[in-house]
Amino acid sequence: MTLQFKPNETFRSDFAYGKSDADLLRFPFPFPEDAYMYSVNIEPHVRGGPTAAFAHVFDIDEHYVAECRERALVLAEDPKRCQVLPHMEMAEWDTLELIMESLAADYPDHFSLTKAGDLWTWVNRPLGIQQSFTFGEAHTLPYGPFEYITRQAQGDFTLQDQRDDNLYVDGGMVTTQADWSLEFNIGMTFHEWHGPVPLAHEKGVFDRALKYLLRLQYGRPVRRLNWTITINPRLDTSPENYPVWGPDRTTVTSENVGEKVHLRVELQTLFRLPRSNAILFGIRCYLASVADLARVPKWRRRLHRVLRDLHPEIQAYKGLPRYRQMVLDHLAPFDDGAPTSPGI
Ligand code: HEM
């Protein structure tokens, strides 16, 4: 597969970001029906799905090079966006192995991994990297193994340790997050870090999801989609940087709503790791403006209906109230009321 990277894209200041037709059609649109409510929407992470974004273990797209640069910028400003507690060192190596082997197998034109016993050589052509190192010896890499490999991957990652019938978020690389903080959450349990989410606790969503994950098996990864709304194609919407992006919400007008308001979708993947028994959680973020989504008739009708009928507590949690009506007014003329078929 040939990927044309767009290395000059930016996710801040001038927001030089766009979507080709092919990129739009691979967007993991998150609504299989016209209404949305929290659920345990977990399915096996097999190759293939409704769009090409589901075809690989870790999806790489035209934004890869620019997203890796954006991550480096965030880390230079705030190194605490990557933290791993000391007892997770084995999970760091598990992660490095999983990501290197998957990228090399799925994108042989761009990545390769060769092994001579514990001496490994990694080649990342899009980023111009060639690195030999000894697996298991962190001093042979320029960063810790988890930071090293997640600097070269799209999307955020967290590491969960499993003990006392619970999961603890004991590490992460979190630079493209939807308003939550690794620095604040590190060391928390599954229910603690989900504390702010409305409705889902009472519905038993988190009890069931935790039970499911505690039994996650090696070699059988799972995935789910999550979504929110972001103003501008901005990846770093962290609490740490709220003063930078929070005011963006006041800039939406009925003239610019289509271009400014973006549906932000997270393709989340969960892998049991072989040596550490930890769980790697990948949060791969995709952005598409309302104007881009309106190019697809089924998606524009459905987005209109989902946002129109969304539970008020979920609207508030996702920060929608200030501009939701403008999005609805923009999309309503596209919604002819025709029934949509199930699925994406
Ligand atoms: C939201 C982390 C797995 C369902 C969140 C938030 C975090 C998070 C940090 C934001 C909470 C806040 O507002 O501060 C994680 C991690 C997981 C994980 C590290 C890895 C084990 C799951 C699973 C489910 C789930 C398996 C399945 C039901 C949700 C839901 C929300 C949420 C429904 C609210 C999202 C929204 O409305 O935007 N998660 N989560 N999470 N999580 Fe998870």
Side-chain angles (χ1 to χ4, degrees), residues 143-248:
Y143 301 101
F146 179 80
E147 177 169 354
Y148 179 75
I149 195 57
T150 55
R151 276 177 175 266
Q152 300 176 47
Q154 277 176 278
D156 287 342
F157 293 88
T158 62
L159 283 173
Q160 283 62 228
D161 193 25
Q162 181 161 334
R163 54 185 195 269
D164 308 329
D165 281 334
N166 213 325
L167 295 175
Y168 293 78
V169 62
D170 283 347
M173 168 66 89
V174 181
T175 65
T176 67
Q177 71 270 50
D179 202 8
W180 68 276
S181 162
L182 177 68
E183 165 74 349
F184 185 73
N185 284 9
I186 195 153
M188 285 189 184
T189 64
F190 191 81
H191 283 74
E192 285 170 349
W193 79 63
H194 281 119
V197 182
L199 305 172
H201 291 270
E202 311 76 290
K203 289 179 183 294
V205 166
F206 292 123
D207 290 338
R208 291 200 298 281
L210 176 60
K211 267 192 191 151
Y212 186 105
L213 293 184
L214 291 174
R215 288 162 183 72
L216 186 66
Q217 290 178 30
Y218 173 63
R220 297 198 172 178
V222 296
R223 69 184 174 216
R224 64 181 295 269
L225 291 175
N226 190 46
W227 68 277
T228 190
I229 301 280
T230 298
I231 308 306
N232 295 322
R234 190 189 288 283
L235 287 176
D236 176 15
T237 51
S238 55
E240 287 87 344
N241 262 345
Y242 186 80
V244 176
W245 60 267
D248 288 355

Side-chain angles (χ1 to χ4, degrees), residues 9-200:
E9 284 185 328
T10 57
F11 304 93
R12 54 177 75 202
S13 15
D14 62 341
F15 297 108
Y17 175 85
K19 282 191 115 48
S20 62
D21 287 349
D23 192 41
L24 178 62
L25 289 175
R26 72 195 306 291
F27 186 73
F29 191 75
F31 306 120
E33 52 192 22
D34 287 353
Y36 177 80
M37 177 42 76
Y38 293 140
S39 64
V40 187
N41 56 336
I42 303 177
E43 62 176 13
H45 184 34
V46 291
R47 283 175 195 282
T51 77
F54 300 85
H56 300 106
V57 180
F58 296 102
D59 183 45
I60 297 285
D61 64 18
E62 63 189 38
H63 312 291
Y64 172 74
V65 173
E67 288 192 21
C68 290
R69 192 186 55 243
E70 166 69 14
R71 163 153 295 157
L73 287 174
V74 175
L75 288 168
E77 289 162 1
D78 184 359
K80 287 193 161 179
R81 300 297 189 86
C82 184
Q83 298 186 46
V84 186
L85 298 183
H87 64 278
M88 301 301 279
E89 193 184 339
M90 192 58 85
E92 294 198 46
W93 287 106
D94 280 337
T95 302
L96 175 138
E97 176 186 55
L98 175 64
I99 296 180
M100 284 186 178
E101 287 189 341
S102 303
L103 293 184
D106 282 345
Y107 306 94
D109 291 351
H110 298 300
F111 306 96
S112 74
L113 179 66
T114 44
K115 299 181 185 175
D118 285 343
L119 184 62
W120 293 17
T121 298
W122 166 245
V123 178
N124 177 334
R125 290 181 197 91
L127 298 185
I129 294 172
Q130 168 151 0
Q131 176 78 46
S132 294
F133 62 98
T134 305
F135 186 85
E137 292 189 20
H139 66 90
T140 60
L141 284 170
Y143 301 101
F146 179 80
E147 177 169 354
Y148 179 75
I149 195 57
T150 55
R151 276 177 175 266
Q152 300 176 47
Q154 277 176 278
D156 287 342
F157 293 88
T158 62
L159 283 173
Q160 283 62 228
D161 193 25
Q162 181 161 334
R163 54 185 195 269
D164 308 329
D165 281 334
N166 213 325
L167 295 175
Y168 293 78
V169 62
D170 283 347
M173 168 66 89
V174 181
T175 65
T176 67
Q177 71 270 50
D179 202 8
W180 68 276
S181 162
L182 177 68
E183 165 74 349
F184 185 73
N185 284 9
I186 195 153
M188 285 189 184
T189 64
F190 191 81
H191 283 74
E192 285 170 349
W193 79 63
H194 281 119
V197 182
L199 305 172

